[in-house]
Amino acid sequence: MARVLPSSLTPHICILPSQDLEELLQSSVLPSLHHILQSFSPLPQVTTRTTTLTTVPHASFALRFSDLTEIESACREDEEQRATRTIDWIGDRISKRCAKWVDDFEKMNDRDVARTPWWDELRRCAEGDHIPARDEGWNHPMSIILAVSTTAPNPLQAITALHSRTLDFPSWVDVTHLIYTLIIHPKNSPLSDEEAGALFNAVKKQYGLHTYLLSLELPSPPPPLVSIPALVPRLPPPTISNGSADAVRPDLRTTQTVPLNTLRMSEQDIQQTARFAREFVTMNLVPWMEKYVIEWNETYSSSRRLPSRLFSSTRRLFGTSSATPVHSSTPLHTRSSTYTAPQSPLSGSTTPPPSQQRRLAEFATILGDFKLAVAVWESLRKEGKGGSDILPLLISPSPAVQLHVSHALNTIYPQSAELHSHTQLRALLYAVRWESTLTIGDFLSDTLEGERWLVWAAGNAEEPPAALLLAHAALLSVRKNAKRRAALWYFFAANRLEKCGIKPLTMYFLRRAHELSLSRPEKLLSPSFWMSENKQPSDFEGFDAVMSGIEHPLGRLLYTTGDVPGAVRHFLGLLRWSSASSSPLAQLSSHTVDITTDPSNSDKVFLEDFQVAISHLKSISGEQARLEDVKLPLRFVVPSQTCVRLARDSVEGEQSEWETREEIWSSFWKHRGKEKLERSGNAAVEEAFWVDITLCNPLDTEVTLANPTVIVESSSGDAAWIRDNITIETVEDTILSANESRTISIAIKASKPASLVITGVAYDFLGLLPTVESLARRGRRLQDTPQQRQTITYAPDELLKLDVEEASQELAVAFVDDGPLVLAEGECKWMKLLISNAGSRDIGEVWVVPGAEDQIWIEPLGSGEGSATGMAWKTWQSDNKIVPPTPYSIPLTEKLVTSGSTEVTVVLHAGCKRKQDLSLLFIYREAQGSPFHCTRVTRSYEVVQCLQISTASHPSHSLDHSFSLSLDLTNILSSSNVEINQVTTISTSWSCSPLAELRPEPLRPSQSARISFGATSTGDCTSVNAVSAFVSRKLSNVLHGQVIAPDDPPLLELLCGHVSQTFAYEPFVAHFIMNAQRIAVSRSLVQSHPRIPTSSHPNIFPLYNPLSVDFVVFWKIPSEQRSGHILVSDITLGASHAALREVLEGVESAKVKRSMYAETQREKVEMLQAIRDSEWNAEMNPIVVIVKDGLVIEHDFSQGVCLTHVEFTIRNHSLSHPSRFVLRLDHRQQSSSHNLPAPYCGRTTFRGLLEPLQTTSVLAQLCATCPGTYALSGWRLETEVGESGTEDGLWQVRHRYEQRAAADDSSSIVISDLS
């Protein structure tokens, strides 16, 4: 059984009727003859034969009939112009019918299975093209039927006239066609049946056997209507101006109205006509085609044999001289079979008709000889003459079919971006043939992927046919369950159709794309995925990457078609895809030209469209417009950051800082009493409190929230009671910039006690849409029961709640001077605090809790700014603990009664350079045993630097001091002088004395000064050993994971040295120095030991290192009336000997259980390294060599060589360990200077033992034979540090060192000659 071919590949039969036949049909209320015969196509059960005489049964054999004159006229029209008219005609037909199609189609339940009416219409319009084309021969006439009736005055003359008529075809139209004569003999003909038979015989004798006599009844009146198959639509002829010589003959039936798809013929006439149609095909057309296929196949086969040169050589060698018969490709000139009529030359036409080889392929395809057809089509394809478009219809499905399709489309598509109408029409026809011929299973198979062929055929054309190709490809993709691809192609189809103005189909395609984008992909994900993403499987809202690109044009179409409420909902829904300008579809939509130029404008465009739509809706519906179901799809309120603020609460300061101060108070008071601090303060009656609402604009454009307010509920009454007793502020319109976050405060005041619940925030979005956002926060995750642990369960939502009560106890605290505050680094600033009782009960006790780094001093009663004393302090007793400051008690002369107040003086010491806040938490109560309440106060200030300070230290060359210290000061102010009143040194083990007096002149801007000190050890290393043992024990516990006992470090006595003119000490100076030292040490520990918890630092590390030396610089700026002091603590003197070495070695050598977690092991390694690098494990060579330098000796070398001594002083800077040394002198060592090497003689190796802090000297003899400058850097010192306090008295080496003179050592001795 041969495959059923599309109608566009069936034989094309042209009919030339006589005038009398047309009048006969008109009088019988019948259409033209070609329309009548078309009703009998296709013919069932037709059999053909191949070139091998194999029969091929055809279940359906179709024919195409048309009027010859119409074909001749259409051939004269330019092909590009006709293609343009065809595309416009198709678009017009679809535009007129699509509204009803969409309405009917949407009512169907199986829309994804049924064929769409617009695709059927497109296919019928494409297959209705019957005009011959230059690039293929399917539409070229295969037969011409000359039809007359016996009602003519002289039928034989009419037949002769038709046969002698010249065919008006261009030269490129194939002239190989069958001429057939049809004589219609009606019952009312003036000729009798015998005369009609004689006429038939005469015509058959004269014009050949291809003649038929069709006898019809054609009764009058006409018989009832008979339904016939619908005729394919055909392009109407172009509009021709009057007087044109090429005007198309008008249709005589235009004045009559004939129902579509009906025919007024009797049953006998229908049978007679059907008999004629079958005889015409089986007895004439098919044999004629088979004959030509055989002849043309012989010619085709001969051209594919061995070259003729080989045969000529054979004939010459073997004497054969018979000529090979030549088969002409010219049609036979028998008028009864083939008619070669004279042609009317077409000016400028040089295109040849289709080749014989192509006609052979077309004929073989029609006859079902697919084996021959495929071979010929393949040959044509290889020669570049077509065939790739037909081969997919004939060969079996395979990957090669897709290549043929791709090649067929690539050959007709130009390389340029512009597609001509003719090209679009050819691609459409190819796609229709492929889709209608191949079975749906093969077409959608993974091998062929036929839906992609339709997309390729559509190309980038923006005409309705291309859009419908994409739409049909989308429908086929839905059947393959490729929904996202289908959504994309539906969107492309809608985008192109809208440009053509076909809105019903555009909206339908957009809705289909929207539905498909909302469908969730079928993917099985682990439940853990949803838990990790904190989502529910039902939260899928669609393919967010494309939703905005679909919904935006759909909303605009709804607005332009009058569905304003639907447009409002779509435009508002677009906002949930905020910043979806990254959507690929948003950049392809024709509406979003402004979006593609600036993607950040997407939200702005959506909002503008929403404003226009809702304003129009309100203008036509009034304020009663139904907007209840219109909900804003995004949130502007951040519930987690919304809080209630009372009048006594500070706006500034992080909540975590206040919680830290409350914890400090709780820790401080839990050893003194059981009274609790009431942290959850309540609002007071007739006192305003505020709801701080954090608004965050998620859009990329400016948004206005009009009339924002809060919704309050109360258990004390209903809404009417709330209106009468609760005053809620409505703030002015809030304008949020793109992606801006802002906090607004809404004031609430209650006139009666109540329990309030703040449930939501209400505002008018853009001043047009009333919106309410809930302030409910999701409750905590419940994991109390096994069921709750297996199924995600949350506690009830949490709301903002507040109790309003009568004001009983309220403390108001404020700074008297609350202006901008700028302090110099280290400045001491006196400030006044006004403390007043704003409640109804007395206040008898007030405390203040500062922050861990706030340095304040509360002056006692009766003291003032002139309370300084001139007494100097020489020693301090320090508990050596890093303990944060405890709360300060505010001195009160008496209880604060209602409306009573008092002033308190607070001294603030400015720390390091930065902007910071002084946040003070005030704790108060009525009397002993009463609960505590709190209030807050904050003041911002900025600290600027006035002095740049640096320090340096090095071993002293003087025997009076072990080390030399220098303090460099630079005034970095731009215009003010700085006076240095005093410099104080603080240390446990070192006594520092100035090497020069303090200069009395002030430091001018950019001026520097240096103050030098000499440091001498006190000789007592008890404190050093005690503190070192304490730190070693604590860090050993840390490294071994043991519990840190809360014991205190050893007490220290600090020695103070002063360099001063006349200076009066304020009583708070010592307090501030200790605080500054604690802050500096705490910061250093947090940075150097991040793996040790901060809370355990006071139990591990002391406040002072016994080997450290601190400077306190007291300064004054007279012109600005500022004064203060700065602590400098970054110098450590003396030699240390890795006090933690044993602890670290024990940890490293112990068999430690490794953790299965790499992170835990890494943290242990980091902590161990931090302890190894800490100051408590410092190590250095304690021995220092000092060469007596600068000697000048005069000697008379005429008396002999010069013998002199060089003194080497060796000092042990260790406070706890003895050391052995070996000093080796070697004159051969090279010096970096140009001096002569020292010629030592006698003893050059010196050994000795130095106890802690001991100094010794050795004399080396130098023998100079000539005057000169001799370098004294040629020495090497080997040192062994011993253990201190060994029980058996044996020497145990702890460290070994070796040192030489420094590379830049310039010590030397000068010997001059006196002779």
Side-chain angles (χ1 to χ4, degrees):
M1 185 70 67
R3 181 178 298 175
V4 178
L5 298 178
S7 61
S8 60
L9 303 183
T10 56
H12 184 199
I13 312 300
C14 291
I15 299 178
L16 181 61
S18 61
Q19 184 68 24
D20 57 278
L21 178 59
E22 292 182 349
E23 294 174 356
L24 173 63
L25 296 177
Q26 181 181 9
S27 62
S28 301
V29 196
L30 291 174
S32 300
L33 182 59
H34 63 278
H35 286 162
I36 296 175
L37 296 179
Q38 190 65 56
S39 303
F40 294 88
S41 176
L43 300 177
Q45 303 302 326
V46 174
T47 302
T48 60
R49 291 185 304 173
T50 65
T51 54
T52 60
L53 302 181
T54 303
T55 59
V56 180
H58 295 261
S60 176
F61 194 90
L63 299 174
R64 290 180 294 163
F65 295 92
S66 57
D67 187 84
L68 178 63
T69 57
E70 293 181 5
I71 301 301
E72 291 175 337
S73 176
C75 288
R76 292 194 295 269
E77 184 181 5
D78 181 69
E79 287 189 355
E80 181 65 23
Q81 179 182 351
R82 185 173 66 251
T84 303
R85 285 199 310 113
T86 303
I87 292 176
D88 295 341
W89 169 67
I90 294 175
D92 185 60
R93 288 179 62 90
I94 293 173
S95 177
K96 292 178 180 179
R97 295 167 172 80
C98 63
K100 186 177 183 306
W101 287 343
V102 171
D103 293 340
D104 296 340
F105 198 68
E106 286 187 335
K107 297 176 184 178
M108 301 176 60
N109 296 327
D110 52 349
R111 292 178 298 174
D112 295 336
V113 178
R115 293 183 66 88
T116 55
W118 45 86
W119 173 252
D120 288 339
E121 181 69 14
L122 177 66
R123 179 180 57 80
R124 294 173 70 248
C125 289
E127 292 181 345
D129 181 23
H130 61 297
I131 307 302
R134 298 172 184 264
D135 46 8
E136 65 177 18
W138 297 107
N139 288 342
H140 290 229
M142 197 167 291
S143 175
I144 297 178
I145 298 179
L146 307 177
V148 298
S149 70
T150 57
T151 59
N154 189 348
L156 185 59
Q157 183 179 1
I159 294 174
T160 304
L162 292 179
H163 276 273
S164 61
R165 180 183 181 276
T166 301
L167 297 180
D168 194 9
F169 283 135
S171 60
W172 47 265
V173 176
D174 188 17
V175 295
T176 304
H177 42 251
L178 172 68
I179 301 297
Y180 195 87
T181 305
L182 175 62
I183 304 172
I184 297 179
H185 177 56
K187 187 176 181 181
N188 58 355
S189 172
L191 298 181
S192 61
D193 294 342
E194 292 77 5
E195 292 174 336
L199 176 63
F200 169 67
N201 293 329
V203 172
K204 184 165 55 174
K205 181 179 180 180
Q206 182 176 357
Y207 296 107
L209 298 177
H210 298 290
T211 307
Y212 191 85
L213 177 63
L214 177 59
S215 299
L216 299 176
E217 293 289 335
L218 300 181
S220 182
L225 295 174
V226 178
S227 298
I228 61 174
L231 302 179
V232 294
R234 289 181 174 176
L235 177 68
T239 303
I240 305 299
S241 60
N242 294 332
S244 174
D246 297 332
V248 178
R249 177 169 48 84
D251 195 343
L252 298 177
R253 301 176 297 103
T254 56
T255 58
Q256 301 183 11
T257 302
V258 179
L260 296 176
N261 305 333
T262 58
L263 198 64
R264 292 185 180 272
M265 292 185 71
S266 62
E267 184 64 27
Q268 182 179 357
D269 289 349
I270 292 175
Q271 294 178 359
Q272 291 292 334
T273 307
R275 186 180 297 110
F276 157 71
R278 173 166 291 276
E279 184 175 334
F280 168 72
V281 171
T282 59
M283 303 297 293
N284 296 274
L285 182 62
V286 169
W288 177 82
M289 293 176 62
E290 293 172 348
K291 174 186 176 183
Y292 269 89
V293 167
I294 293 175
E295 293 181 359
W296 291 342
N297 183 41
E298 287 294 330
T299 304
Y300 168 76
S301 300
S302 64
S303 63
R304 292 297 183 271
R305 295 171 184 164
L306 293 176
S308 59
R309 185 176 56 184
L310 177 61
F311 287 100
S312 62
S313 302
T314 304
R315 287 193 300 269
R316 185 175 67 253
L317 294 174
F318 294 95
T320 57
S321 59
S322 58
T324 303
V326 178
H327 298 271
S328 174
S329 61
T330 305
L332 298 178
H333 294 278
T334 305
R335 294 186 61 87
S336 60
S337 59
T338 303
Y339 175 63
T340 306
Q343 303 293 319
S344 298
L346 195 64
S347 60
S349 177
T350 59
T351 305
S355 64
Q356 186 184 94
Q357 187 175 343
R358 181 177 180 89
R359 295 297 282 171
L360 169 62
E362 293 174 351
F363 277 33
T365 303
I366 295 174
L367 294 176
D369 192 355
F370 292 157
K371 182 177 181 181
L372 173 62
V374 168
V376 179
W377 285 122
E378 280 286 356
S379 177
L380 290 171
R381 181 190 63 81
K382 294 177 181 178
E383 296 175 1
K385 298 179 180 180
S388 295
D389 58 317
I390 304 299
L391 284 172
L393 309 178
L394 306 180
I395 62 179
S396 301
S398 66
V401 175
Q402 226 178 33
L403 299 178
H404 288 309
V405 170
S406 176
H407 181 261
L409 294 175
N410 289 336
T411 54
I412 63 173
Y413 277 151
Q415 297 297 328
S416 61
E418 181 181 0
L419 291 180
H420 298 289
S421 300
H422 178 69
T423 301
Q424 298 180 37
L425 196 60
R426 301 310 304 167
L428 170 64
L429 188 57
Y430 290 170
V432 167
R433 289 172 180 171
W434 297 329
E435 193 274 341
S436 60
T437 303
L438 298 177
T439 62
I440 191 66
D442 292 340
F443 194 71
L444 297 183
S445 64
D446 294 337
T447 303
L448 299 187
E449 293 186 329
E451 71 278 5
R452 297 184 184 271
W453 303 356
L454 306 183
V455 178
W456 299 344
N460 58 358
E462 297 183 349
E463 301 296 338
L468 296 183
L469 284 172
L470 292 172
H472 194 62
L475 177 64
L476 298 178
S477 297
V478 173
R479 297 177 184 176
K480 293 182 64 175
N481 203 28
K483 295 183 179 180
R484 288 194 174 178
R485 186 199 309 161
L488 177 69
W489 287 342
Y490 268 131
F491 173 80
F492 288 161
N495 190 24
R496 302 187 190 189
L497 272 184
E498 188 181 4
K499 296 178 182 179
C500 304
I502 306 178
K503 294 183 179 180
L505 266 183
T506 301
M507 295 176 62
Y508 174 77
F509 290 159
L510 287 175
R511 284 195 294 267
R512 290 293 293 138
H514 190 263
E515 293 173 6
L516 294 172
S517 298
L518 287 175
S519 61
R520 180 177 168 184
E522 297 179 0
K523 293 182 179 179
L524 298 179
L525 297 177
S526 169
S528 301
F529 169 79
W530 303 107
M531 295 178 63
S532 64
E533 295 293 325
N534 197 18
K535 294 181 180 180
Q536 295 294 332
S538 59
D539 292 343
F540 183 75
E541 296 183 359
F543 189 20
D544 54 355
V546 301
M547 293 301 290
S548 61
I550 296 174
E551 292 181 350
H552 189 215
L554 182 57
R556 287 196 172 186
L557 281 173
L558 289 174
Y559 181 77
T560 55
T561 54
D563 188 1
V564 182
V568 169
R569 293 180 180 86
H570 272 83
F571 290 143
L572 195 61
L574 283 170
L575 299 181
R576 73 182 183 275
W577 313 112
S578 176
S579 302
S581 58
S582 59
S583 163
L585 296 189
Q587 300 179 9
L588 294 173
S589 175
S590 60
H591 298 294
T592 52
V593 177
D594 49 351
I595 296 178
T596 57
T597 55
D598 186 3
S600 62
N601 286 339
S602 59
D603 293 337
K604 181 179 181 181
V605 173
F606 299 158
L607 278 185
E608 289 176 351
D609 290 342
F610 168 73
Q611 283 181 294
V612 171
I614 196 171
S615 300
H616 180 64
L617 179 62
K618 287 190 173 184
S619 66
I620 60 178
S621 303
E623 294 299 327
Q624 294 77 24
R626 296 182 178 180
L627 299 176
E628 294 81 5
D629 59 336
V630 179
K631 303 297 182 183
L632 194 64
L634 48 85
R635 295 181 63 93
F636 289 90
V637 180
V638 184
S640 60
Q641 299 180 16
T642 301
C643 60
V644 175
R645 176 171 51 89
L646 304 180
R648 58 181 173 271
D649 294 338
S650 173
V651 178
E652 302 175 354
E654 295 291 339
Q655 183 63 27
S656 58
E657 296 182 1
W658 297 117
E659 293 175 355
T660 301
R661 286 161 175 75
E662 292 177 359
E663 293 174 359
I664 293 174
W665 168 258
S666 299
S667 301
F668 168 75
W669 192 257
K670 70 179 180 180
H671 302 294
R672 293 170 173 79
K674 298 181 179 180
E675 297 84 353
K676 300 296 182 180
L677 173 63
E678 296 184 356
R679 303 182 183 182
S680 57
N682 297 329
V685 175
E686 297 298 339
E687 179 186 61
F689 63 92
W690 294 267
V691 179
D692 294 335
I693 303 171
T694 301
L695 301 176
C696 180
N697 180 12
L699 304 178
D700 291 331
T701 186
E702 186 179 271
V703 173
T704 300
L705 306 181
N707 307 320
T709 186
V710 294
I711 300 175
V712 178
E713 297 179 359
S714 175
S715 59
S716 303
D718 54 5
W721 185 89
I722 293 177
R723 285 195 300 270
D724 296 337
N725 298 282
I726 307 295
T727 303
I728 304 175
E729 178 189 15
T730 299
V731 301
E732 61 184 8
D733 295 354
T734 301
I735 301 177
L736 297 176
S737 301
N739 304 117
E740 179 188 4
S741 295
R742 185 189 305 176
T743 300
I744 63 173
S745 300
I746 299 179
I748 302 177
K749 182 184 292 185
S751 59
K752 293 183 179 180
S755 295
L756 304 181
V757 179
I758 304 169
T759 60
V761 177
Y763 56 86
D764 293 335
F765 180 62
L766 303 180
L768 297 172
L769 180 65
T771 304
V772 176
E773 289 193 35
S774 174
L775 289 177
R777 309 176 191 177
R778 189 174 66 183
R780 67 179 183 87
R781 170 79 183 275
L782 299 179
Q783 296 181 344
D784 301 331
T785 64
Q787 182 65 24
Q788 291 174 350
R789 289 190 288 270
Q790 294 174 6
T791 305
I792 299 178
T793 309
Y794 295 96
D797 292 344
E798 301 175 357
L799 294 171
L800 288 178
K801 298 179 180 180
L802 183 70
D803 293 332
V804 181
E805 60 184 15
E806 295 289 347
S808 59
Q809 199 168 24
E810 185 74 21
L811 183 70
V813 183
F815 286 95
V816 175
D817 180 13
D818 200 16
L821 188 59
V822 179
L823 304 178
E825 182 180 4
E827 180 181 356
C828 296
K829 178 68 176 179
W830 280 261
M831 297 182 293
K832 295 289 186 180
L833 277 174
L834 179 62
I835 303 177
S836 55
N837 187 353
S840 59
R841 300 168 62 181
D842 296 343
I843 297 176
E845 186 178 357
V846 181
W847 295 78
V848 60
V849 183
E853 296 191 3
D854 292 334
Q855 302 181 53
I856 64 170
W857 169 267
I858 307 297
E859 287 201 349
L861 295 175
S863 63
E865 295 187 9
S867 61
T869 176
M871 183 180 65
W873 22 266
K874 295 185 178 180
T875 60
W876 282 352
Q877 294 295 329
S878 172
D879 57 5
N880 207 20
K881 294 190 294 185
I882 310 174
V883 179
T886 58
Y888 302 96
S889 177
I890 302 296
L892 298 176
T893 56
E894 57 184 6
K895 286 187 176 182
L896 288 177
V897 298
T898 303
S899 302
S901 62
T902 184
E903 281 192 359
V904 177
T905 302
V906 177
V907 182
L908 172 64
H909 181 251
C912 58
K913 172 186 175 182
R914 62 174 178 172
K915 292 183 178 180
Q916 48 195 311
D917 294 331
L918 176 61
S919 301
L920 302 178
L921 177 68
F922 284 84
I923 311 293
Y924 59 92
R925 63 177 175 176
E926 182 179 6
Q928 187 175 2
S930 302
F932 287 100
H933 301 272
C934 65
T935 187
R936 305 168 181 174
V937 64
T938 301
R939 185 171 188 186
S940 300
Y941 63 96
E942 181 180 0
V943 180
V944 297
Q945 191 176 6
C946 62
L947 288 175
Q948 183 176 346
I949 305 176
S950 61
T951 59
S953 65
H954 57 84
S956 175
H957 289 196
S958 172
L959 298 181
D960 298 332
H961 306 289
S962 298
F963 289 91
S964 296
L965 309 179
S966 62
L967 179 68
D968 296 329
L969 307 173
T970 303
N971 179 6
I972 62 174
L973 297 178
S974 59
S975 58
S976 300
N977 298 337
V978 179
E979 295 181 359
I980 306 300
N981 297 326
Q982 174 170 315
V983 177
T984 298
T985 60
I986 303 174
S987 179
T988 300
S989 303
W990 302 97
S991 175
C992 301
S993 57
L995 301 181
E997 294 295 330
L998 187 65
R999 56 180 296 175
E1001 297 84 4
L1003 289 177
R1004 302 185 184 279
S1006 302
Q1007 187 177 4
S1008 299
R1010 171 173 289 184
I1011 305 174
S1012 299
F1013 296 86
T1016 304
S1017 174
T1018 60
D1020 184 10
C1021 63
T1022 305
S1023 59
V1024 177
N1025 295 334
V1027 172
S1028 178
F1030 172 81
V1031 174
S1032 298
R1033 176 167 51 87
K1034 292 294 184 177
L1035 290 179
S1036 176
N1037 294 339
V1038 170
L1039 293 175
H1040 287 88
Q1042 300 176 359
V1043 178
I1044 308 300
D1047 49 346
D1048 299 331
L1051 301 178
L1052 292 181
E1053 182 178 9
L1054 304 178
L1055 304 179
C1056 302
H1058 308 283
V1059 181
S1060 174
Q1061 301 293 332
T1062 58
F1063 182 67
Y1065 297 96
E1066 298 290 349
F1068 49 75
V1069 170
H1071 169 76
F1072 284 151
I1073 290 176
M1074 289 295 182
N1075 265 353
Q1077 176 69 14
R1078 176 186 56 79
I1079 293 172
V1081 172
S1082 298
R1083 288 178 180 173
S1084 175
L1085 291 177
V1086 170
Q1087 183 177 2
S1088 58
H1089 299 281
R1091 299 302 180 186
I1092 300 179
T1094 306
S1095 58
S1096 62
H1097 287 176
N1099 299 325
I1100 300 175
F1101 301 100
L1103 178 63
Y1104 281 96
N1105 186 337
L1107 297 180
S1108 65
V1109 176
D1110 298 341
F1111 292 96
V1112 183
V1113 180
F1114 295 87
W1115 56 266
K1116 183 178 181 181
I1117 304 177
S1119 61
E1120 300 179 6
Q1121 297 182 353
R1122 299 176 184 267
S1123 63
H1125 60 273
I1126 301 175
L1127 174 67
V1128 183
S1129 55
D1130 57 357
I1131 291 182
T1132 301
L1133 302 180
S1136 299
H1137 304 289
L1140 303 179
R1141 187 180 70 174
E1142 289 78 8
V1143 174
L1144 297 174
E1145 290 177 352
V1147 172
E1148 292 176 343
S1149 61
K1151 186 177 181 181
V1152 182
K1153 182 179 180 181
R1154 295 183 61 86
S1155 173
M1156 64 180 294
Y1157 300 105
E1159 183 178 359
T1160 303
Q1161 187 67 22
R1162 186 167 57 251
E1163 290 177 357
K1164 290 183 178 180
V1165 173
E1166 291 177 359
M1167 182 172 60
L1168 189 67
Q1169 186 63 35
I1171 294 175
R1172 180 180 285 108
D1173 298 337
S1174 66
E1175 61 176 337
W1176 303 105
N1177 195 45
E1179 176 190 346
M1180 64 172 287
N1181 188 351
I1183 303 299
V1184 175
V1185 177
I1186 302 173
V1187 182
K1188 190 174 182 180
D1189 184 23
L1191 293 179
V1192 178
I1193 299 176
E1194 296 179 349
H1195 178 72
D1196 186 3
F1197 282 92
S1198 62
Q1199 301 296 326
V1201 297
C1202 176
L1203 298 177
T1204 185
H1205 291 87
V1206 178
E1207 183 179 3
F1208 292 85
T1209 302
I1210 304 173
R1211 175 178 293 176
N1212 184 6
H1213 285 285
S1214 174
L1215 277 68
S1216 57
H1217 289 68
S1219 297
R1220 290 179 175 176
F1221 70 89
V1222 176
L1223 178 64
R1224 304 180 188 277
L1225 304 180
D1226 187 1
H1227 68 276
R1228 291 173 296 181
Q1229 295 183 14
Q1230 298 295 326
S1231 173
S1232 60
S1233 63
H1234 299 288
N1235 299 330
L1236 299 174
Y1240 297 108
C1241 60
R1243 183 180 179 183
T1244 58
T1245 300
F1246 303 88
R1247 290 178 172 84
L1249 173 65
L1250 294 177
E1251 297 296 330
L1253 300 178
Q1254 185 180 357
T1255 302
T1256 186
S1257 297
V1258 297
L1259 295 177
Q1261 190 173 26
L1262 185 145
C1263 180
T1265 59
C1266 62
T1269 301
Y1270 295 90
L1272 302 180
S1273 58
W1275 55 268
R1276 178 166 56 91
L1277 181 69
E1278 300 173 1
T1279 305
E1280 289 183 354
V1281 179
E1283 295 285 357
S1284 62
T1286 57
E1287 296 179 357
D1288 53 1
L1290 297 178
W1291 179 261
Q1292 296 181 4
V1293 178
R1294 183 174 182 84
H1295 302 288
R1296 285 188 173 89
Y1297 303 98
E1298 179 179 318
Q1299 62 175 317
R1300 300 175 184 272
D1304 58 349
D1305 188 1
S1306 60
S1307 58
S1308 61
I1309 184 172
V1310 178
I1311 301 178
S1312 60
D1313 189 5
L1314 294 178
S1315 59

